Amino acid sequence: MIIPAIDLINGRCVRLYKGDFNQRTDYDEDPIDVAKRFAAEGAERMHIVDLDGAKHGKSSQSDLIMKIAAESGLKVQTGGGIRDLSQIQRLLDGGIDRVVVGSLSVTNPQMVKFWLNEVTPSKIVVALDVNLDENGVPFPATRGWLEAGKRSLWEILDDYSGSGLNTVLITDIGRDGVLGGSNVDLYQEVQSNYPTLNVITSGGVGSIKHVKALKALNPHGIIIGKALYENKFTVADAVAC
């Protein structure tokens, strides 16, 4: 499934380069118009990140995100600054299809496991945004990618075994916003090591060739952001390839 992405800062669409808030591109299109365009091109689901929430640890654009979901007709998954169960319930009650939990899935896995038991597991996506160390080992970062993690991706995923978790979103931060191709090997390794998990890929897509390489893995979803804003191809092109 192709999942176009919107990243929001102050209610506007932006894209970051390798997760750096100081290297951001702002786009003039209204996010609701963007969502409607993606829907018209054949998208069924959209990924929306509240970057203000991710940076400051407090979701601040929930009303706008729920409005985007309502007016676009898309199934929306969203994250950024999710810190308590009431936020999750408000989003789900407000028409959001799935809530994405990032930093807390690394820093407080026990809390996220509790949420998985309180909410239908299919409604929560654990997002692990990784940097690779000098040996190529992926380590998830936290707080809008500003803080380095101390446990590897594999340690964290092992910790979620038996928790009910069924969907993970993996982003290679070093490739995000670069348009140079995705870390296919990493996603394939996650699928091989954890065959019961639904894997959503994110980061690096810059051409239809890159989309085809990811489709060959048959992941649960492929998130595409900057390439769509830079008119490298359309959602319809990605769906059809």
Side-chain angles (χ1 to χ4, degrees):
M1 179 186 294
I2 301 301
I3 307 175
I6 289 179
D7 291 352
L8 296 174
I9 292 180
N10 293 326
R12 307 303 299 175
C13 298
V14 305
R15 298 301 298 175
L16 304 183
Y17 181 80
K18 294 186 178 181
D20 186 348
F21 281 80
N22 294 316
Q23 297 188 67
R24 99 185 198 199
T25 302
D26 294 82
Y27 298 94
D28 291 333
E29 284 188 275
D30 181 272
I32 294 175
D33 292 337
V34 173
K36 289 179 177 179
R37 173 164 57 84
F38 289 156
E41 292 177 359
E44 298 178 7
R45 181 180 296 276
M46 171 170 285
H47 179 74
I48 303 178
V49 180
D50 177 354
L51 285 177
D52 293 317
K55 184 175 183 179
H56 301 296
K58 182 180 180 181
S59 59
S60 57
Q61 301 181 89
S62 297
D63 289 340
L64 172 58
I65 293 168
M66 289 186 286
K67 185 176 181 181
I68 293 171
E71 296 197 18
S72 69
L74 292 168
K75 293 181 179 179
V76 169
Q77 60 183 47
T78 187
I82 303 298
R83 293 294 182 270
D84 59 60
L85 185 58
S86 65
Q87 289 176 297
I88 295 173
Q89 292 172 330
R90 178 170 183 260
L91 288 165
L92 295 177
D93 291 343
I96 298 303
D97 186 62
R98 299 195 293 205
V99 176
V100 180
V101 181
S103 294
L104 273 185
S105 65
V106 177
T107 61
N108 194 348
Q110 291 305 121
M111 178 68 76
V112 178
K113 291 175 188 178
F114 171 74
W115 293 346
L116 287 165
N117 285 322
E118 291 295 305
V119 180
T120 303
S122 63
K123 293 296 183 180
I124 293 181
V125 177
V126 162
L128 300 169
D129 307 325
V130 304
N131 288 304
L132 306 182
D133 70 4
E134 63 274 10
N135 297 313
V137 178
F139 283 83
T142 60
R143 208 169 69 82
W145 302 353
L146 297 175
E147 296 181 1
K150 297 180 180 180
R151 293 197 302 162
S152 73
L153 173 65
W154 317 122
E155 290 174 296
I156 291 169
L157 289 177
D158 285 346
D159 189 26
Y160 279 97
S161 177
S163 67
L165 175 66
N166 60 25
T167 305
V168 294
L169 191 169
I170 308 293
T171 302
D172 182 340
I173 295 172
R175 297 184 184 234
D176 192 73
V178 180
L179 304 177
S182 300
N183 193 337
V184 174
D185 290 342
L186 173 63
Y187 305 136
Q188 192 169 34
E189 190 171 1
V190 175
Q191 289 179 315
S192 177
N193 290 344
Y194 306 92
T196 62
L197 289 178
N198 296 319
V199 177
I200 300 174
T201 70
S202 175
V205 173
S207 69
I208 288 296
K209 178 182 177 181
H210 299 153
V211 178
K212 289 181 177 179
L214 290 170
K215 280 191 171 183
L217 300 178
N218 193 30
H220 182 66
I222 300 169
I223 290 177
I224 305 173
K226 188 175 183 178
L228 298 175
Y229 292 95
E230 300 291 334
N231 298 312
K232 303 297 184 182
F233 54 85
T234 67
V235 171
D237 295 330
V239 170
C241 77

